[in-house]
Amino acid sequence: MSETPIRERRRGERVIIRIPVMLYGLTKDNRHISEEAETVAISRTGALVRSRSQFKTGGVVEVTNSFSKQADKFRVVWASEAQKQGCYDLGVEMLTPHDDFWGLSFPSAASAKS
Protein backbone atom coordinates (compact mmCIF):
# COMPACT_ATOMS: atom_id res chain seq x y z
CA MET A 1 0.00 0.00 0.00
CA SER A 2 1.41 3.39 -0.91
CA GLU A 3 1.72 6.36 1.44
CA THR A 4 -0.67 8.51 -0.65
CA PRO A 5 -3.98 6.89 0.44
CA ILE A 6 -2.98 7.17 4.11
CA ARG A 7 -2.10 10.87 3.75
CA GLU A 8 -5.42 11.54 1.98
CA ARG A 9 -7.36 10.09 4.94
CA ARG A 10 -5.67 12.37 7.48
CA ARG A 11 -7.86 15.21 8.64
CA GLY A 12 -5.10 17.64 9.49
CA GLU A 13 -1.44 18.38 9.68
CA ARG A 14 0.84 16.52 12.05
CA VAL A 15 3.55 17.99 14.21
CA ILE A 16 6.48 15.75 15.13
CA ILE A 17 6.95 16.35 18.86
CA ARG A 18 7.60 14.35 22.00
CA ILE A 19 5.14 15.13 24.76
CA PRO A 20 5.09 12.96 27.87
CA VAL A 21 1.64 11.52 28.56
CA MET A 22 -0.02 9.16 31.02
CA LEU A 23 -2.25 6.44 29.58
CA TYR A 24 -5.11 4.85 31.53
CA GLY A 25 -7.15 2.06 30.02
CA LEU A 26 -7.51 -1.59 29.10
CA THR A 27 -4.65 -3.39 27.40
CA LYS A 28 -5.17 -5.89 24.60
CA ASP A 29 -5.17 -8.69 27.21
CA ASN A 30 -7.85 -6.89 29.32
CA ARG A 31 -5.58 -5.58 32.09
CA HIS A 32 -6.31 -2.15 33.57
CA ILE A 33 -3.14 -0.12 33.25
CA SER A 34 -1.72 3.27 34.05
CA GLU A 35 1.61 4.00 32.42
CA GLU A 36 3.91 6.74 31.24
CA ALA A 37 4.25 7.05 27.47
CA GLU A 38 5.11 9.75 24.93
CA THR A 39 3.80 11.14 21.69
CA VAL A 40 5.77 10.83 18.47
CA ALA A 41 3.48 13.11 16.49
CA ILE A 42 0.33 15.07 17.26
CA SER A 43 -2.49 16.61 15.26
CA ARG A 44 -5.50 18.72 16.14
CA THR A 45 -7.60 15.56 16.66
CA GLY A 46 -5.17 12.89 17.81
CA ALA A 47 -1.66 11.54 18.16
CA LEU A 48 0.78 8.77 17.48
CA VAL A 49 1.87 7.47 20.90
CA ARG A 50 4.66 5.07 21.93
CA SER A 51 3.65 2.78 24.79
CA ARG A 52 5.23 -0.20 26.54
CA SER A 53 1.78 -1.85 26.63
CA GLN A 54 -0.39 -2.93 23.74
CA PHE A 55 -3.87 -1.42 23.84
CA LYS A 56 -7.03 -2.70 22.13
CA THR A 57 -7.87 -1.20 18.75
CA GLY A 58 -11.31 0.38 19.14
CA GLY A 59 -10.87 0.72 22.90
CA VAL A 60 -10.96 3.98 24.81
CA VAL A 61 -7.93 5.23 26.68
CA GLU A 62 -7.64 8.30 28.88
CA VAL A 63 -4.62 10.41 27.95
CA THR A 64 -3.19 13.00 30.33
CA ASN A 65 -0.83 15.60 28.89
CA SER A 66 1.97 15.63 31.48
CA PHE A 67 2.84 19.28 30.74
CA SER A 68 -0.65 20.81 31.06
CA LYS A 69 -2.17 18.06 33.26
CA GLN A 70 -5.23 18.09 30.98
CA ALA A 71 -6.89 14.70 30.54
CA ASP A 72 -9.27 13.54 27.84
CA LYS A 73 -10.64 10.34 26.36
CA PHE A 74 -9.22 9.02 23.08
CA ARG A 75 -10.17 6.07 20.87
CA VAL A 76 -7.38 3.71 19.82
CA VAL A 77 -7.79 3.68 16.03
CA TRP A 78 -4.63 1.72 15.29
CA ALA A 79 -2.15 -0.34 17.31
CA SER A 80 1.02 -2.00 16.08
CA GLU A 81 1.18 -5.78 16.44
CA ALA A 82 4.90 -5.86 17.25
CA GLN A 83 7.14 -3.77 19.46
CA LYS A 84 9.82 -1.50 18.07
CA GLN A 85 12.59 -0.69 20.50
CA GLY A 86 10.47 -2.04 23.37
CA CYS A 87 7.34 -0.01 22.56
CA TYR A 88 4.10 -0.35 20.64
CA ASP A 89 2.84 2.46 18.40
CA LEU A 90 -0.75 3.60 18.99
CA GLY A 91 -2.81 5.86 16.79
CA VAL A 92 -5.36 7.65 18.96
CA GLU A 93 -8.08 10.20 18.23
CA MET A 94 -9.94 12.47 20.63
CA LEU A 95 -13.53 11.51 21.29
CA THR A 96 -14.37 15.23 21.67
CA PRO A 97 -11.72 17.25 19.78
CA HIS A 98 -10.71 20.64 21.15
CA ASP A 99 -7.85 22.92 20.18
CA ASP A 100 -6.06 23.40 23.49
CA PHE A 101 -5.23 19.83 24.59
CA TRP A 102 -1.66 19.75 23.23
CA GLY A 103 -0.77 23.37 24.04
CA LEU A 104 -0.02 24.18 20.38
CA SER A 105 -1.94 26.26 17.86
CA PHE A 106 -2.96 24.40 14.72
CA PRO A 107 -4.29 26.13 11.60
CA SER A 108 -8.08 26.38 11.62
CA ALA A 109 -9.91 23.65 9.73
CA ALA A 110 -11.06 26.22 7.14
CA SER A 111 -7.53 27.52 6.44
CA ALA A 112 -6.13 23.97 6.28
CA LYS A 113 -8.49 23.18 3.37
CA SER A 114 -7.49 26.19 1.26
Side-chain angles (χ1 to χ4, degrees):
M1 180 181 253
S2 73
E3 179 68 15
T4 304
I6 293 170
R7 294 180 138 262
E8 289 173 1
R9 287 190 307 234
R10 291 190 184 139
R11 290 184 274 166
E13 293 188 30
R14 289 182 165 186
V15 175
I16 306 300
I17 187 171
R18 288 184 175 174
I19 297 175
V21 295
M22 287 295 298
L23 302 178
Y24 306 92
L26 274 178
T27 62
K28 191 171 183 177
D29 58 359
N30 290 319
R31 290 180 298 122
H32 286 278
I33 195 157
S34 166
E35 79 170 38
E36 294 177 357
E38 72 177 5
T39 66
V40 174
I42 61 171
S43 71
R44 174 190 304 276
T45 59
L48 177 61
V49 177
R50 305 235 35 226
S51 166
R52 289 183 311 280
S53 298
Q54 189 176 31
F55 287 82
K56 286 183 177 185
T57 300
V60 174
V61 62
E62 183 175 293
V63 177
T64 300
N65 179 329
S66 295
F67 291 139
S68 69
K69 305 301 183 211
Q70 282 194 68
D72 215 328
K73 298 215 185 288
F74 288 68
R75 179 177 297 105
V76 178
V77 294
W78 177 82
S80 64
E81 289 297 320
Q83 289 183 327
K84 283 190 231 172
Q85 300 171 346
C87 292
Y88 293 96
D89 289 335
L90 307 172
V92 297
E93 70 177 356
M94 289 182 200
L95 294 181
T96 308
H98 53 91
D99 290 340
D100 60 347
F101 185 81
W102 297 116
L104 295 175
S105 295
F106 290 90
S108 70
S111 67
K113 289 181 182 178
S114 44

